[in-house]
């Protein structure tokens, strides 16, 4: 099992062994990271203050940052 993990890690950590990075996805990940952590902070605050609205906004921000915006950008480019 440990050998399999080492082989998989070697494949992922060595960029020369992976697929070519071609394509026009030239968007900085900073915006996604900030939106992701803002969603966690807002959702956490919603849990502390027992506000369903803040929790929902936090979940929405996390989903936007991890799924919907990158998917929309990939489809439109």
């Amino acid at each position: 099992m440990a050998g399999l993990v080492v082989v998989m890690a070697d494949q992922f950590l060595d960029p020369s062994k992976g697929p070519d990075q071609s394509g026009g996805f030239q968007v900085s990940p900073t915006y996604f990271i900030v939106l992701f952590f803002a969603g966690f902070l807002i959702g956490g605050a919603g849990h502390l203050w027992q506000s369903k609205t803040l929790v929902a906004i936090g979940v929405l921000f996390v989903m936007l940052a991890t799924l919907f915006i990158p998917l929309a950008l990939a489809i439109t480019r």
Side-chain angles (χ1 to χ4, degrees):
M1 184 69 171
L4 179 64
V5 172
V6 170
V7 170
M8 288 176 61
D10 182 49
Q11 293 291 322
F12 284 110
L13 296 177
D14 187 7
S16 65
K17 295 182 181 179
D20 292 332
Q21 296 295 323
S22 60
F25 198 76
Q26 301 285 335
V27 178
S28 173
T30 306
Y31 303 110
F32 300 112
I33 293 169
V34 169
L35 186 62
F36 181 77
F37 285 111
F40 270 103
L41 289 174
I42 292 170
H47 281 293
L48 286 175
W49 292 321
Q50 298 177 351
S51 170
K52 291 181 183 180
T53 304
L54 284 179
V55 172
I57 291 171
V59 169
L60 178 67
F61 279 13
V62 169
M63 293 298 292
L64 282 172
T66 58
L67 180 65
F68 297 127
I69 294 175
L71 185 63
L73 288 173
I75 289 171
T76 59
R77 291 179 184 235

